[in-house]
Amino acid sequence: MKKTGLFLLSVLLIMTILSACGKAKDQAEPINEETDKCAICNMQIKDDAFAVQLKTKDGKTYKFDDLGCMNEWKGKNAADSIQVQFVRDYNNKEWIKYEDATYVYDPSFKSPMAYGIYSFKDKAEAQKFADSQKKGKVMTAADLGKHTWEQSKSMMNMGGSHDHSVTPEAGGDKDAHGGKAGDQGTHGK
């Protein structure tokens, strides 16, 4: 009897440990603005709605300042080595799995590297944003697989800060965050 109980306890302990290991692999890591740099463009990563990351099957984490940079990394590296990918919800910066998110694209939307793609936790939020901007194509992760991934050259040349806020006297169309619709900033300080 004692051997059976000990065996069952050991099995339960091993299952708990393995379960915890799997969960750690499937969670996004926090962004450290002091040290995190984009794995493609080497720009400082802001802890904002544009930060994305992926983890490989061998346990390495790669962080990016723009979804387009993560896509470029995937094109240069073995896509089958990816364990999990994360994007941020544009509205609240919550980490969500890449394949679970819904995206809105417009070449006039500003993002750190001018790819113009914003991610949302669900289709309803993405559609609400596109409707509020009166532009933008709502896309799934599968749609992004067929996307052209071109940078908007006119957006690349615009300066400013990574912050989406504007002063009241700046005026203009406002996005859901009080900033100008599609505001983009530069990287780093």
Side-chain angles (χ1 to χ4, degrees):
M1 269 316 225
K2 285 185 178 183
K3 287 183 181 181
T4 304
L6 186 58
F7 175 76
L8 290 175
L9 184 61
S10 298
V11 170
L12 182 60
L13 182 61
I14 290 170
M15 288 175 57
T16 302
I17 291 170
L18 290 176
S19 171
C21 291
K23 288 179 184 174
K25 281 186 175 182
D26 287 345
Q27 291 182 354
E29 293 182 8
I31 298 297
N32 182 336
E33 291 185 353
E34 299 293 320
T35 60
D36 287 337
K37 304 273 186 200
C38 179
I40 288 293
C41 68
N42 204 35
M43 295 298 216
Q44 176 185 12
I45 300 174
K46 295 289 187 176
D47 190 20
D48 65 9
F50 298 105
V52 295
Q53 63 182 273
L54 63 80
K55 292 185 179 195
T56 60
K57 291 177 182 174
D58 62 0
K60 293 182 182 172
T61 298
Y62 295 90
K63 297 177 183 179
F64 309 91
D65 63 343
D66 191 299
L67 187 56
C69 287
M70 185 167 78
N71 183 70
E72 186 176 336
W73 186 94
K74 292 188 304 188
K76 292 179 177 180
N77 296 279
D80 62 348
S81 70
I82 298 171
Q83 172 76 27
V84 64
Q85 302 171 74
F86 295 100
V87 297
R88 293 286 258 315
D89 178 73
Y90 184 74
N91 290 324
N92 65 17
K93 298 193 309 182
E94 172 187 332
W95 288 109
I96 45 181
K97 288 188 178 178
Y98 173 85
E99 66 272 8
D100 295 340
T102 304
Y103 304 87
V104 180
Y105 165 73
D106 191 88
S108 69
F109 290 166
K110 297 175 186 173
S111 66
M113 293 305 291
Y115 285 97
I117 299 174
Y118 296 176
S119 50
F120 296 86
K121 66 181 176 182
D122 58 44
K123 186 176 181 178
E125 289 296 315
Q127 189 63 58
K128 182 178 172 181
F129 178 81
D131 291 347
S132 75
Q133 301 301 308
K134 297 182 176 47
K135 61 184 171 184
K137 178 181 178 184
V138 176
M139 305 170 76
T140 64
D143 295 332
L144 290 180
K146 298 172 258 173
H147 184 62
T148 60
W149 293 99
E150 295 176 12
Q151 291 174 293
S152 174
K153 299 302 179 195
S154 64
M155 295 297 141
M156 286 293 293
N157 297 324
M158 299 186 83
S161 69
H162 215 54
D163 186 8
H164 292 278
S165 62
V166 295
T167 58
E169 50 277 346
D173 295 323
K174 306 275 183 173
D175 70 8
H177 305 286
K180 283 191 176 181
D183 269 354
Q184 168 185 328
T186 58
H187 303 283
K189 292 180 182 176

